[in-house]
């Protein structure tokens, strides 16, 4: 819903748009995205503000929708970043941060300039060239060019939350922001990542099942046709001009941080995020249930007084959130078992 469509500049509670997501997008009425956003907030990660909205249209009750802040608008940048004039790009799938020939049309479709960012993409191209540079050049500038903790915490949360449609594994549902470094003579940028549309989290058993060698909270597995080197770089390397030869299974920058320059830091961050999820998910879902159940209604409620998606009313919603709790508990159990294995690092974190 565009608040400023017929009145340019108008905002509602600081928003230009209201992004309402239907109830069938996840297992439990957007509880997954609310939980993910809650954890991101506790980790001080920039993340779209997320809540629920009970929606009526011309007097007809349409039910409960997830409401999530639009990430590709200027208000989002202004709210979450101190220097909102930096370059900002939205990843539209397969944004693996390789450095391909920028003249390829598909490259421009993957990285969409938003919030007033120039479509010349010069800052992004320079950033991608560095991401795929030699170990010496990469290591020398990593602290200057990257908000390291932002990337490591984002990836740890994505993997431990079992998000099968995320940035690290699919180059999707993320934005890239370059904070200006304040150097007027030779401007540079320190890059961060923002995750959004996390409705794929906590919902797919295949995304964390160790027997299927799916997403690992600490490290990725090098089997199954992956095309990242053990240090995170692209398997086929780069050509004389610095362009990458081939694609990557995992987003190159976080892979280079996790398996190369900041390996031990990531281990500790992954453990921290796992412990946070363990502490928070039960009480958070309990509170969310108490908020939403009155708006969902009961099975006996007339159609106009209950959420039409939940024909069984609040009882069905409780059943679904119980399944969600079971999935999270199983993931945490799998995690605990794995990290106690003597060969854990050898199995999942090859040098």
């Amino acid at each position: 819903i565009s608040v400023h469509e017929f009145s340019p500049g108008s905002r509602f509670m600081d928003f230009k748009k209201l992004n309402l997501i239907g109830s069938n997008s996840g297992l439990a009425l957007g509880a997954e995205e609310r939980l993910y956003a809650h954890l991101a907030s506790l980790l001080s990660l920039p993340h779209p503000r997320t809540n629920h909205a009970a929606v009526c249209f011309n007097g007809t009750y349409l039910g409960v929708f997830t409401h999530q802040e639009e990430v590709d608008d200027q208000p989002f940048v202004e709210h979450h970043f101190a220097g909102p004039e930096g370059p900002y790009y939205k990843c539209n799938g397969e944004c693996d941060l390789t450095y391909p020939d920028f003249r390829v049309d598909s490259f421009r479709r993957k990285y969409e300039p938003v919030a007033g960012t120039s479509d010349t993409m010069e800052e992004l191209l320079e950033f991608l060239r560095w991401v795929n540079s030699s170990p010496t050049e990469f290591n020398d500038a990593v602290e200057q060019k990257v908000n390291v903790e932002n990337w490591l915490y984002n990836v740890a949360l994505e993997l431990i939350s079992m998000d099968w449609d995320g940035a690290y594994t699919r180059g999707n549902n993320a934005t890239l922001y370059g904070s200006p470094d304040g150097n007027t003579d030779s401007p540079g940028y320190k890059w961060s990542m923002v995750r959004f549309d996390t409705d794929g989290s906590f919902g797919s058993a295949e995304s964390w099942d160790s027997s299927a060698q799916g997403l690992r909270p600490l490290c990725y597995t090098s089997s199954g046709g992956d095309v990242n080197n053990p240090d995170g770089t692209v398997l086929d390397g780069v050509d004389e001009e610095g362009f990458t030869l081939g694609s990557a299974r995992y987003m190159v920058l976080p892979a280079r941080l996790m398996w190369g320059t900041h390996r031990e830091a990531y281990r500790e961050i992954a453990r921290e995020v796992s412990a946070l999820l363990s502490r928070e998910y039960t009480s958070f879902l309990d509170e969310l249930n108490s908020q939403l159940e009155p708006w969902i209604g009961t099975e006996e409620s007339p159609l106009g007084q209950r959420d039409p998606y939940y024909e069984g009313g609040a009882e069905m919603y409780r059943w679904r959130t119980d399944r969600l709790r079971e999935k999270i508990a199983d993931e945490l159990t799998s995690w605990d078992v794995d990290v106690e294995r003597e060969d854990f690092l050898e199995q999942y974190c090859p040098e």
Side-chain angles (χ1 to χ4, degrees):
I1 301 174
S2 178
V3 176
H4 64 118
E5 180 70 21
F6 301 105
S7 180
S10 297
R11 298 189 184 187
F12 175 74
M13 297 180 69
D14 198 36
F15 295 110
K16 288 184 178 180
K17 297 178 182 178
L18 302 179
N19 182 29
L20 301 174
I21 305 170
S23 302
N24 60 349
S25 62
L27 176 70
L29 198 59
E32 307 92 338
E33 290 197 81
R34 285 287 302 274
L35 177 56
Y36 198 107
H38 173 67
L39 297 172
S41 176
L42 293 177
L43 295 169
S44 299
L45 291 173
H47 192 84
R49 290 168 284 182
T50 307
N51 59 10
H52 279 88
V55 180
C56 292
F57 181 72
N58 290 341
T60 300
Y61 183 51
L62 302 181
V64 179
F65 287 70
T66 306
H67 171 230
Q68 186 166 90
E69 182 180 16
E70 288 281 354
V71 298
D72 53 2
D73 279 349
Q74 190 65 25
F76 178 88
V77 183
E78 293 172 358
H79 179 80
H80 292 280
F81 295 100
E85 67 276 11
Y88 191 47
Y89 298 89
K90 184 178 181 181
C91 294
N92 293 319
E94 298 181 10
C95 295
D96 56 11
L97 302 190
T98 53
Y99 182 46
D101 187 334
F102 66 89
R103 291 168 294 183
V104 178
D105 290 339
S106 61
F107 172 79
R108 291 185 174 273
R109 289 195 298 268
K110 293 174 184 178
Y111 300 90
E112 177 187 356
V114 292
T117 296
S118 169
D119 62 3
T120 61
M121 309 177 83
E122 292 178 359
E123 303 92 347
L124 177 64
L125 289 167
E126 171 55 27
F127 174 60
L128 296 183
R129 187 206 63 77
W130 168 80
V131 166
N132 295 275
S133 64
S134 69
T136 299
E137 183 178 354
F138 182 87
N139 296 348
D140 286 348
V142 63
E143 299 290 342
Q144 174 186 345
K145 290 183 175 293
V146 174
N147 183 336
V148 173
E149 285 197 349
N150 167 274
W151 288 86
L152 295 182
Y153 275 105
N154 261 307
V155 174
L157 181 57
E158 176 181 315
L159 297 188
I160 292 172
S161 299
M162 306 161 277
D163 189 354
W164 60 270
D165 193 22
Y168 177 66
T169 53
R170 300 189 68 179
N172 200 22
N173 293 325
T175 61
L176 309 174
Y177 179 72
S179 297
D181 62 8
N183 188 335
T184 56
D185 295 329
S186 179
Y189 302 93
K190 194 165 191 175
W191 292 83
S192 302
M193 176 172 67
V194 176
R195 283 298 323 279
F196 66 93
D197 275 3
T198 57
D199 56 344
S201 57
F202 307 113
S204 173
E206 289 75 18
S207 64
W208 57 261
D209 183 4
S210 58
S211 64
Q213 293 193 332
L215 307 183
R216 303 312 312 158
L218 273 180
C219 308
Y220 70 88
T221 170
S222 59
S223 63
D226 299 336
V227 286
N228 287 68
N229 290 313
D231 66 353
T233 56
V234 179
L235 181 65
D236 295 329
V238 299
D239 64 15
E240 293 180 355
E241 298 181 13
F243 292 112
T244 47
L245 302 171
S247 58
R249 171 66 179 87
Y250 299 100
M251 190 179 266
V252 175
L253 174 58
R256 294 193 76 169
L257 297 174
M258 295 155 70
W259 323 129
T261 58
H262 293 75
R263 186 182 178 92
E264 292 304 316
Y266 177 68
R267 284 166 53 93
E268 296 306 313
I269 285 174
R271 288 186 167 89
E272 177 186 342
V273 174
S274 177
L276 179 67
L277 173 60
S278 181
R279 290 195 307 269
E280 292 289 327
Y281 80 95
T282 297
S283 59
F284 181 84
L285 292 176
D286 286 344
E287 176 64 23
L288 190 60
N289 282 6
S290 67
Q291 293 175 10
L292 297 186
E293 286 181 10
W295 296 99
I296 297 172
T298 67
E299 189 173 7
E300 292 75 25
S301 301
L303 183 59
Q305 299 178 23
R306 64 173 169 83
D307 191 311
Y309 178 69
Y310 283 90
E311 296 181 359
E315 184 175 349
M316 175 183 284
Y317 175 72
R318 285 193 296 272
W319 181 87
R320 291 192 172 200
T321 55
D322 285 345
R323 303 291 79 73
L324 177 59
R325 295 169 198 259
E326 291 175 4
K327 284 180 175 290
I328 295 173
D330 286 346
E331 150 63 10
L332 292 170
T333 298
S334 174
W335 157 259
D336 289 339
V337 170
D338 275 349
V339 296
E340 294 303 321
R341 289 174 45 170
E342 291 185 3
D343 64 341
F344 178 76
L345 290 180
E346 290 74 15
Q347 175 72 17
Y348 294 113
C349 308
E351 291 282 4

